Amino acid sequence: EVQLVESGGGLVQPGGSLRLSCAASGFTFSSYSMNWVRQAPGKGLEWVSYISSSSSTIYYADSVKGRFTISRDNAKNSLYLQMNSLRAEDTAVYYCARAAGDIYSYFDYWGQGTLVTVSS
Amino acid sequence: DIQMTQSPSSLSASVGDRVTITCRASQSISSYLNWYQQKPGKAPKLLIYAASSLQSGVPSRFSGSGSGTDFTLTISSLQPEDFATYYCQQSYSTPPAFGQGTKLEIK
């Protein structure tokens, strides 16, 4: 069974940093591209970042470019999102989502999400 | 960037009804259109990919159609567990973009 479990969310002050993790199991993690998708409270879904299976290709949404860094450790079956210079508008539930293929693909499995709250 | 627009934003319907949700892309996306269902407090779940392919395990009452810029998600006979929010998503180009969502409520 495919499982994605996010962790690392919490309350952080504006300008602060946070590192999210996503632990994957039930599939060959190193063979799949991964994404982060977020959802602000009461709002819709917003794609944040993509990383290919080998980390050779990375994309970011304009809203986080230069502040967030996606990475992965295939030996540990883990995906990460380093978030710096956090703003109030980054407050959201952050989901990791497996891509069925490359960036031009759908998200076939999602984690349960981890809440990030940016507030003073 | 490609913009995705869903209609309606909300919809009231009864168990057994046939329901259609529409998604329009700001430019042609061929068949790179996917549909997700999200229930309150839960992660989104993939229903339909490539406009009309049913994800494994998804009931056959769900179907998708369309290509180019106009797409539809149809639920042939609403069940109580189908009341949720539905999102379309284009995977034709970066950034992948979602529609604003359609909240399906019980009448």
Side-chain angles (χ1 to χ4, degrees), chain B residues 38-87:
Chain B
Q38 187 179 33
K39 296 182 179 180
K42 301 295 186 181
K45 171 188 173 183
L46 177 67
L47 298 177
I48 302 283
Y49 62 93
S52 60
S53 295
L54 194 67
Q55 172 69 347
S56 177
V58 174
S60 59
R61 63 181 179 272
F62 291 92
S63 64
S65 64
S67 66
T69 60
D70 295 317
F71 302 85
T72 59
L73 172 70
T74 300
I75 309 172
S76 59
S77 178
L78 272 175
Q79 299 302 300
E81 61 268 29
D82 299 338
F83 292 95
T85 300
Y86 293 84
Y87 294 93

Side-chain angles (χ1 to χ4, degrees), chain A residues 37 39 43-47 59 62 95 103-108 110-112, chain B residues 32 34 36 38 42-44 46 49 55 87 89 91-96 98:
Chain A
V37 178
Q39 186 170 36
K43 302 298 184 182
L45 300 168
E46 179 189 16
W47 171 80
Y59 295 102
D62 286 346
Y95 296 100
I103 183 65
Y104 306 108
S105 182
Y106 47 92
F107 310 131
D108 58 355
W110 298 63
Q112 86 289 348
Chain B
Y32 288 82
N34 314 301
Y36 302 87
Q38 187 179 33
K42 301 295 186 181
L46 177 67
Y49 62 93
Q55 172 69 347
Y87 294 93
Q89 176 241 335
S91 51
Y92 179 80
S93 67
T94 57
F98 293 89

Side-chain angles (χ1 to χ4, degrees), chain B residues 5 7-8 13 21 23 29 37 53 67 70 83 92-93 101 103 107:
Chain B
T5 304
S7 61
I21 298 170
C23 179
I29 58 170
Q37 175 194 66
S53 295
S67 66
D70 295 317
F83 292 95
Y92 179 80
S93 67
K103 187 174 183 178
K107 183 183 289 185

Side-chain angles (χ1 to χ4, degrees), chain A residues 36-110:
Chain A
W36 288 99
V37 178
R38 69 184 180 183
Q39 186 170 36
K43 302 298 184 182
L45 300 168
E46 179 189 16
W47 171 80
V48 172
S49 185
Y50 163 94
I51 186 167
S52 63
S53 58
S54 64
S55 303
S56 60
T57 302
I58 287 173
Y59 295 102
Y60 297 100
D62 286 346
S63 58
V64 307
K65 200 173 296 183
R67 300 187 299 120
F68 289 12
T69 302
I70 192 172
S71 63
R72 64 190 295 161
D73 185 336
N74 286 343
K76 295 183 178 180
N77 291 337
S78 293
L79 174 72
Y80 306 102
L81 186 68
Q82 177 66 43
M83 304 186 296
N84 298 331
S85 303
L86 282 162
R87 306 166 180 167
E89 54 265 35
D90 296 318
T91 294
V93 174
Y94 285 74
Y95 296 100
C96 63
R98 192 180 83 167
D102 60 15
I103 183 65
Y104 306 108
S105 182
Y106 47 92
F107 310 131
D108 58 355
Y109 288 94
W110 298 63

